[in-house]
Amino acid sequence: ASGEAGGGTVLLGGGAHGEGSLAHARRTRVGNATIAADATTSGNGGNIVIWSDKNTFFDGNLSAQGGSTGGNGGNIETSGGSVSLGVHMHVDALAANGETGNGLLDPTDILITSNNSQPACCTTTTCLTPSDIVNGTSAANFQESATHSLVVDTSSDIDYSSNNSLTLNAGTFLTVNSQIENSGSGAINLKAAGGNLTINAPISTLGSNGLDSFEAGDSINIQAPIDAGADELLLRAGEATTDGNPGAI
């Protein structure tokens, strides 16, 4: 679905966020294939959605690049009740002469873990590894948005370098138990829309490419240092706390 003056739209298994009148797939599987909605010369990249109501497996390349002479990157969504990512997974919403586009992962529950072979993984919970964060932020502003809960709990730190943003959203609670560090200029955004945001491990971004934001519908509980470098940092919650063994900002 690529075009000289702008990318088109590809909807596989349903519409964006599962909305709209398009019939839904119960399960969707994309192997080591390429789906492109690029603007090849000018204009914005297009829109790609991979959706299922239950389980989505994705192991291919999705591309919605902006035009070579001008235009922004497009929007790429891989969503479902649960999502499993293969080793060949790559999302590209870059723009040579415009703004980088967005990559969205939008299942029910997300666990970022070093062990994605746990029984709950790929059935009731979408399990991502630190390498998925590296891949996701390499060529898109990467948003992991769980309609319910999101937990970061890895055996090693999540260290990466990207000028693109990383956004972790949860419909209820969001808990960070592992260090997240971006040595690039991309922002780190955390949001627990309907519950508590708990930060139990250091978070740092050393660049200055936008606003870092930590938001919660209820409370923000900071138990480890936060370093926003040269960025601005927004804290917004119903109640903000730094009790127990408080961290520093």
Side-chain angles (χ1 to χ4, degrees), residues 2-108:
S2 298
E4 289 188 5
T9 297
V10 178
L11 305 177
L12 181 59
H17 315 297
E19 300 173 352
S21 59
L22 189 67
H24 291 186
R26 183 172 175 82
R27 295 179 175 86
T28 299
R29 183 179 181 89
V30 178
N32 188 11
T34 296
I35 300 174
D38 298 326
T40 57
T41 302
S42 63
N44 299 330
N47 299 286
I48 300 174
V49 176
I50 310 296
W51 171 270
S52 74
D53 287 342
K54 190 171 183 180
N55 302 115
T56 298
F57 173 79
F58 172 62
D59 192 26
N61 177 60
L62 301 180
S63 181
Q65 297 181 27
S68 58
T69 62
N72 301 324
N75 297 290
I76 299 171
E77 176 183 346
T78 305
S79 299
S82 66
V83 177
S84 176
L85 300 178
V87 296
H88 302 103
M89 181 277 296
H90 184 66
V91 169
D92 190 341
L94 294 175
N97 289 288
E99 300 293 328
T100 299
N102 304 302
L104 171 65
L105 191 73
D106 188 23
T108 303

